[in-house]
Amino acid sequence: MLILLLVAGAGFILQRDAWMDNRWFRSSLMRVGIDLPARSKDWRIEPESIKPQWITREDGSRILLIHGSIENLLAIDMPLPRLMVTFFSAGQPDEALSASVAHFIRLPQEDHLHGSDFLNPARDLSTVPANGHHAFVILMQHVPENTADFTLLPTMKTASEPAPG
């Protein structure tokens, strides 16, 4: 019996990443109080929901407002993650221009967005229910000049950590 338990325990330890990728298992461990780190794989951005909106401010600068929806893939309520936004140009679509970490925001009034002095919108600190969806908005105030496309990925990095690219 002891050998069987040792083999099972060793198998679990060696396959820890595979077990941690199992959403049901992760949710069950979190529900009983085991503190597991948040992972990007716990979330899915719904590609068909992404709607970019370019806004030209009073001073002539442009900002990018992105609307979309994100899904919590775990069977437990989770706080919203941050998003890694990577920008690409039309001329070099395989080469990233820049990347930055963005927070979800509460949508400010439209006229506030046009003012060049508007910098810090209120963060959306919502909790997404188990297996639930959440509509989101992010505001990118520093977008490279020749941006033609962008990608969004959930990330566990903080805004103070340097983004790749």
Side-chain angles (χ1 to χ4, degrees):
M1 187 67 146
L2 179 62
I3 292 173
L4 182 61
L5 286 174
L6 287 173
V7 169
F12 180 79
I13 291 170
L14 291 173
Q15 296 296 319
R16 184 177 188 277
D17 288 338
W19 282 102
M20 288 300 119
D21 284 344
N22 182 308
R23 294 181 184 118
W24 175 86
F25 186 70
R26 277 181 59 75
S27 300
S28 297
L29 290 176
M30 292 169 119
R31 195 173 292 120
V32 296
I34 296 175
D35 188 28
L36 295 176
R39 298 174 68 167
S40 299
K41 295 177 182 181
D42 297 341
W43 300 94
R44 183 177 86 81
I45 296 174
E46 299 168 356
E48 64 279 354
S49 72
I50 303 300
K51 308 241 181 320
Q53 177 186 1
W54 288 97
I55 297 174
T56 303
R57 290 186 161 170
E58 296 164 351
D59 65 356
S61 63
R62 288 179 16 147
I63 59 172
L64 178 60
L65 195 64
I66 303 170
H67 300 264
S69 181
I70 191 166
E71 179 183 6
N72 175 2
L73 299 174
L74 296 180
I76 189 166
D77 296 354
M78 297 285 289
L80 285 168
R82 288 170 291 280
L83 292 180
M84 176 68 69
V85 184
T86 307
F87 297 103
F88 299 91
S89 73
Q92 296 288 333
D94 295 337
E95 196 171 310
L97 292 171
S98 72
S100 60
V101 176
H103 295 275
F104 296 101
I105 64 165
R106 297 193 185 279
L107 187 61
Q109 294 179 349
E110 186 77 24
D111 57 333
H112 288 146
L113 291 171
H114 291 281
S116 58
D117 58 344
F118 180 74
L119 296 175
N120 296 314
R123 287 188 182 171
D124 184 353
L125 301 175
S126 300
T127 299
V128 183
N131 298 312
H133 299 263
H134 183 76
F136 69 81
V137 178
I138 60 173
L139 174 65
M140 301 306 299
Q141 299 191 65
H142 304 288
V143 180
E145 283 295 318
N146 52 350
T147 295
D149 201 5
F150 61 88
T151 60
L152 301 174
L153 293 172
T155 184
M156 299 305 118
K157 291 184 181 208
T158 62
S160 61
E161 292 179 52

